[in-house]
Amino acid sequence: KAGVTQTPRYLIKTRGQQVTLSCSPISGHRSVSWYQQTPGQGLQFLFEYFSETQRNKGNFPGRFSGRQFSNSRSEMNVSTLELGDSALYLCASSHPRDRLGNEQFFGPGTRLTVL
Amino acid sequence: AQTVTQSQPEMSVQEAETVTLSCTYDTSENNYYLFWYKQPPSRQMILVIRQEAYKQQNATENRFSVNFQKAAKSFSLKISDSQLGDTAMYFCALLGGGADGLTFGKGTHLIIQP
């Protein structure tokens, strides 16, 4: 079974631009979560989608948004990029049968650099 | 709000030794899960072990085991017979019933010396 895939793997943008990152979960997984990893703040939860609906959201500004499609693939969008948005963005999928405690399978991440 | 604290930014041990990584947490939830994730230089996050708060028995996965002290809100990871491939960042994480995703600690960089 294929793992979680994320595209692109690396991305360079300039301040003020917007960016869209994509995540394809493991087949059969309907829950997708996004995390931001930076040296300063560590790993922080962005949001979770389940059945095309945002189920939970972390403490990030409205510039960060996401969506999920009917095939469970998810995208996250960051508008008006700032230097501080440079980070590794990780996507994780899990099976919804028992959400609490289910293993979250992580993708390889997208490394975003904002210049 | 949930918090996870890892007080050891870096640890280094010799191959084949046993090492324990510390983690303390805080949550107001009654039902929650605790996890240890490994992130090698490839950046791929890998689940090492998990523990349900309601289970008193400590979880074990091969060379990895935890010491879960619920009253003390402590969740340490013991790695026995450490191997060079264990070199990685290790993150302690908490998922609570209210669950705004996983709450991670800052991580411990574990280095296994040959």
Side-chain angles (χ1 to χ4, degrees):
Chain A
K1 187 182 275 192
V4 177
T5 58
Q6 292 186 245
T7 57
R9 293 293 310 278
Y10 301 92
L11 204 50
I12 299 175
K13 292 286 188 178
T14 57
R15 280 180 298 174
Q17 287 186 311
Q18 75 167 22
V19 67
T20 299
L21 312 182
S22 180
C23 171
S24 292
I26 291 172
S27 178
H29 287 190
R30 289 161 57 195
S31 173
V32 174
S33 298
W34 289 89
Y35 296 85
Q36 181 196 63
Q37 185 175 22
T38 60
Q41 298 299 317
L43 282 149
Q44 294 182 285
F45 170 72
L46 280 155
F47 27 65
E48 179 196 6
Y49 284 87
F50 174 71
S51 292
E52 303 178 62
T53 301
Q54 187 179 87
R55 188 155 64 174
N56 283 300
K57 188 177 190 304
N59 188 25
F60 277 81
R63 300 186 297 108
F64 291 82
S65 62
R67 59 178 175 168
Q68 187 179 34
F69 302 95
S70 58
N71 62 357
S72 294
R73 189 177 71 85
S74 177
E75 289 181 346
M76 67 163 282
N77 183 276
V78 187
S79 62
T80 320
L81 284 166
E82 301 176 0
L83 295 179
D85 297 333
S86 293
L88 180 69
Y89 289 88
L90 294 167
C91 164
S93 76
S94 63
H95 195 286
R97 183 173 55 242
D98 175 19
R99 179 173 169 274
L100 190 64
N102 260 351
E103 177 177 355
Q104 295 198 18
F105 293 83
F106 283 82
T110 294
R111 170 74 66 185
L112 172 64
T113 301
V114 181
L115 302 176
Chain B
Q2 300 176 151
T3 61
V4 176
T5 303
Q6 294 179 249
S7 59
Q8 304 150 313
E10 185 170 290
M11 296 186 71
S12 180
V13 298
Q14 296 295 123
E15 195 176 4
E17 289 184 344
T18 295
V19 60
T20 299
L21 309 183
S22 301
C23 172
T24 58
Y25 64 93
D26 192 25
T27 179
S28 58
E29 300 289 337
N30 289 320
N31 188 22
Y32 54 90
Y33 273 78
L34 293 159
F35 304 84
W36 278 98
Y37 278 92
K38 169 185 177 181
Q39 188 178 43
S42 67
R43 294 296 196 178
Q44 180 75 52
M45 293 284 281
I46 302 163
L47 179 67
V48 175
I49 200 165
R50 67 178 148 188
Q51 175 82 40
E52 182 179 3
Y54 276 116
K55 291 187 177 178
Q56 293 186 343
Q57 186 174 6
N58 289 325
T60 300
E61 290 286 344
N62 300 313
R63 298 183 294 109
F64 300 88
S65 61
V66 298
N67 183 6
F68 175 47
Q69 301 291 327
K70 190 173 182 179
K73 293 184 176 177
S74 170
F75 183 61
S76 60
L77 174 69
K78 185 173 83 171
I79 305 174
S80 303
D81 187 27
S82 56
Q83 301 174 358
L84 296 178
D86 295 333
T87 293
M89 284 292 293
Y90 286 80
F91 293 96
C92 179
L94 166 69
L95 183 66
D100 289 332
L102 287 162
T103 299
F104 286 91
K106 293 293 188 184
T108 295
H109 184 204
L110 176 64
I111 300 168
I112 309 299
Q113 304 277 8

